[in-house]
């Protein structure tokens, strides 16, 4: 925690969550899954219904991992085609994380699962939007090449 002297309140600075999966949040713009073991091999069909059950932390984190891995791959392919790559994964991650880390952190331990659900859902939706942007740019580049 950090003390907000102006408002005389504690302000969460870093959050470490460990409930089967470990992740760390450093405010305002860092989200990191700590025990990620390689590319996600989660079944894609299950990812579509993942966020219907907010208490399925495994599904939430696996969904985030899957889409983040996909974003990294698509961005790398796009950067290989572009003469001057615009954004790095680090810049995109910071933008996405900053937008989603506006969600209020849990106050009590029993709120952590709901918090994980909200955060990973937001992050995953933001990542999907970035993937769509990359795909549109990639399609335009492919049309120019042909």
């Amino acid at each position: 925690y950090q003390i907000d002297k102006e408002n005389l309140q504690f302000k969460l600075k870093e959050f470490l969550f460990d409930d089967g999966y470990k992740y760390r949040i450093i405010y305002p713009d860092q989200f990191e899954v700590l025990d990620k073991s390689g590319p996600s091999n989660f079944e894609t069909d299950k990812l579509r219904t993942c966020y219907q059950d907010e208490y399925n932390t495994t599904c939430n984190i696996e969904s985030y991992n899957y889409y983040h891995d996909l974003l990294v791959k698509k961005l790398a392919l796009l950067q290989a085609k572009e003469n001057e790559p615009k954004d790095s994964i680090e810049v995109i991650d910071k933008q996405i994380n900053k937008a989603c880390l506006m969600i209020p952190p849990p106050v009590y331990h029993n709120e952590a699962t709901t918090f994980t659900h909200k955060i990973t859902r937001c992050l995953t939706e933001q990542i999907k939007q970035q993937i769509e942007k990359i795909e549109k740019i990639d399609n335009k580049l492919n049309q120019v090449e042909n």
Side-chain angles (χ1 to χ4, degrees):
Y1 286 94
Q2 180 179 11
I3 298 174
D4 180 355
K5 293 177 184 175
E6 188 174 304
N7 296 317
L8 299 175
Q9 295 179 338
F10 288 104
K11 185 176 178 183
L12 188 62
K13 188 174 170 184
E14 185 172 342
F15 179 74
L16 179 63
F17 182 78
D18 183 2
D19 188 26
Y21 276 89
K22 292 180 186 177
Y23 65 85
R24 177 178 53 210
I25 294 172
I26 301 174
Y27 289 94
D29 58 13
Q30 292 181 19
F31 176 88
E32 180 183 14
V33 177
L34 299 175
D35 57 356
K36 188 176 172 187
S37 57
S40 174
N41 58 356
F42 205 72
E43 296 175 30
T44 309
D45 291 340
K46 287 185 180 179
L47 293 176
R48 292 187 186 116
T49 59
C50 216
Y51 291 103
Q52 292 174 3
D53 178 7
E54 70 180 80
Y55 299 105
N56 191 340
T57 302
T58 301
C59 191
N60 294 171
I61 297 290
E62 284 293 329
S63 176
Y64 166 80
N65 286 340
Y66 173 82
Y67 284 107
H68 192 268
D69 290 347
L70 186 60
L71 175 63
V72 170
K73 289 174 189 173
K74 289 194 176 275
L75 185 61
L77 290 172
L78 179 64
Q79 287 177 337
K81 290 181 181 181
E82 290 181 321
N83 292 335
E84 296 178 30
K86 292 172 184 69
D87 288 327
S88 67
I89 191 63
E90 291 81 12
V91 170
I92 292 171
D93 277 344
K94 282 191 179 285
Q95 291 169 348
I96 290 171
N97 295 342
K98 194 168 191 169
C100 293
L101 293 178
M102 299 302 288
I103 295 170
V107 176
Y108 302 104
H109 180 71
N110 63 345
E111 298 172 340
T113 301
T114 303
F115 176 72
T116 300
H117 173 77
K118 289 177 184 175
I119 286 290
T120 55
R121 182 179 196 148
C122 178
L123 291 167
T124 300
E125 288 171 358
Q126 293 285 323
I127 289 169
K128 286 179 181 179
Q129 290 175 7
Q130 287 294 324
I131 290 170
E132 288 175 11
K133 282 183 187 177
I134 290 169
E135 287 173 343
K136 286 178 184 175
I137 294 168
D138 190 40
N139 287 338
K140 286 180 183 176
L141 287 174
N142 288 337
Q143 290 173 354
V144 169
E145 288 177 2
N146 295 332

